[in-house]
Amino acid sequence: MAFSLYYKGLILHCLISFSCLHASEPPLTLDYYKTTCPTVLEIVRKEMECVVSSDPRNAALILRLHFHDCFVQGCDGSVLLDDTITLQGEKKAPNNINGLKGFEIIDDIKERLESECPGVVSCADILTVAARDAVLLVGGPYWPVPLGRKDSKTAGYELTETNIPTADDGLLSIISKFIEQGLSVTDMVALSGAHTIGMARCLNFRNRIYGDYIATSGINPLSQKYLSNLKSVCPPLKGADNNESAMDYVTPNVFDNSYYHILLRGEGLINSDQELHSSILAVQTKKLVAQYAENPIAFFEQFSKSMVKMGNITNPDTYVHGEVRTNCRFVNT
């Protein structure tokens, strides 16, 4: 009952204050570059094929960049901006520093597109398409990507602290951050499935493995062995913060529903993941975890819908003051 009241109260807050971004109907179209840069999708795909074939982990890097971009000011390429004398970017914010990589991949795609269609394709669109292709290239689903985003001239350093879910967030905190973006609980559980690929830093799973991991996973030889391996990678004392472990230890480089099976076993690597199944408030989310574990097609279908929805979170200011950057790291001069 308390959870239901909280959920309804947060929605009411959004409606009254208009403070929430909305993943709704932005001025985006599937054929936006049909006449101005008809080869954009082909160029992005070829570049992504190269980087993912060279290292499948690159897929997760791009997907994470897209998520962090959309949750701060909308999907406007602000996460790609470097610090300058007049602009503080988002890359060095506490929730991003040492955790975001793959910027050079977007740089290379942008360079190719500037050669083919100078001044036409926004960095925000490049990142959105690249994220879709990244998932597809490691076995995940396809979804159509509406295009026409503009690049922001500003960044949201402070917003990274309030908007982006962290590894130790509780379930209500995670849900509230998604609702603030116009995304539902179902979207949240489906999009969390992106953790079926990629790595987590020791800094982000230390509290989990030295906390309630045994309580959720139970005492069994396989879980104990996995936990022992994690502790060897991530000692209890500081000093190994940037050591990494796969969030899906079963199929770390394949986009599938293995992540949800891991949660069902109580072996989620970070606290915020395991909360989806083990929190005392996880009534709705636990059902969705079980559904996606049982039915990979249902997971793929919902993930695709939720990615379109997240990609449609726009920064309204960019349609007035935005631009198409010639270099994704810097505002045009």
Side-chain angles (χ1 to χ4, degrees), residues 110-121 324-326:
K110 179 62 174 175
E111 186 176 346
R112 282 289 316 279
L113 285 168
E114 283 299 302
S115 175
E116 182 78 11
C117 318
V120 173
V121 183
V324 173
R325 293 184 210 135
T326 55

Side-chain angles (χ1 to χ4, degrees), residues 62-124:
I62 297 303
L63 185 55
R64 182 176 294 177
L65 277 183
H66 179 47
F67 177 88
H68 281 242
D69 186 36
C70 293
F71 266 59
V72 176
Q73 298 188 169
C75 310
D76 62 356
S78 61
V79 74
L80 304 172
L81 289 168
D82 283 350
D83 289 350
T84 66
I85 296 175
T86 58
L87 184 145
Q88 184 178 35
E90 299 164 16
K91 295 179 180 180
K92 295 180 181 178
N95 279 348
N96 288 342
I97 192 168
N98 297 323
L100 295 183
K101 303 173 184 177
F103 296 104
E104 69 284 350
I105 295 172
I106 302 302
D107 292 339
D108 290 343
I109 297 173
K110 179 62 174 175
E111 186 176 346
R112 282 289 316 279
L113 285 168
E114 283 299 302
S115 175
E116 182 78 11
C117 318
V120 173
V121 183
S122 69
C123 300

Side-chain angles (χ1 to χ4, degrees), residues 46-268:
K46 286 183 177 179
E47 291 293 313
M48 288 304 299
E49 285 175 349
C50 288
V51 299
V52 172
S53 63
S54 67
D55 188 347
R57 291 176 297 180
N58 283 327
L61 302 185
I62 297 303
L63 185 55
R64 182 176 294 177
L65 277 183
H66 179 47
F67 177 88
H68 281 242
D69 186 36
C70 293
F71 266 59
V72 176
Q73 298 188 169
C75 310
D76 62 356
S78 61
V79 74
L80 304 172
L81 289 168
D82 283 350
D83 289 350
T84 66
I85 296 175
T86 58
L87 184 145
Q88 184 178 35
E90 299 164 16
K91 295 179 180 180
K92 295 180 181 178
N95 279 348
N96 288 342
I97 192 168
N98 297 323
L100 295 183
K101 303 173 184 177
F103 296 104
E104 69 284 350
I105 295 172
I106 302 302
D107 292 339
D108 290 343
I109 297 173
K110 179 62 174 175
E111 186 176 346
R112 282 289 316 279
L113 285 168
E114 283 299 302
S115 175
E116 182 78 11
C117 318
V120 173
V121 183
S122 69
C123 300
D125 274 347
I126 291 171
L127 181 54
T128 307
V129 175
R132 188 272 309 278
D133 290 347
V135 170
L136 193 62
L137 289 166
V138 289
Y142 171 90
W143 62 89
V145 178
L147 299 168
R149 297 163 190 80
K150 298 300 180 185
D151 296 322
S152 68
K153 296 180 181 179
T154 63
Y157 181 97
E158 293 81 8
L159 290 175
T160 63
E161 288 296 287
T162 58
N163 290 18
I164 296 175
T166 66
D168 289 320
D169 273 351
L171 184 61
L172 290 184
S173 176
I174 303 167
I175 289 174
S176 70
K177 289 177 179 180
F178 275 77
I179 290 176
E180 288 283 347
Q181 304 300 326
L183 298 168
S184 69
V185 173
T186 300
D187 294 322
M188 183 268 290
V189 178
L191 291 172
S192 295
H195 288 172
T196 189
I197 56 175
M199 312 290 284
R201 293 188 297 147
C202 167
L203 175 69
N204 290 324
F205 64 84
R206 180 182 284 121
N207 289 342
R208 165 75 173 138
I209 63 175
Y210 293 100
D212 69 348
Y213 184 91
I214 293 178
T216 62
S217 66
I219 300 176
N220 68 76
L222 291 177
S223 291
Q224 290 294 302
K225 183 179 180 180
Y226 176 49
L227 179 59
S228 178
N229 290 338
L230 290 174
K231 288 182 175 179
S232 70
V233 171
C234 184
L237 301 177
K238 294 182 179 180
D241 286 357
N242 290 325
N243 288 357
E244 293 181 327
S245 183
M247 288 186 280
D248 174 358
Y249 69 90
V250 181
T251 53
N253 294 322
V254 178
F255 195 97
D256 56 19
N257 68 335
S258 173
Y259 163 83
Y260 297 105
H261 288 278
I262 290 172
L263 297 188
L264 289 180
R265 293 195 298 271
E267 297 177 341

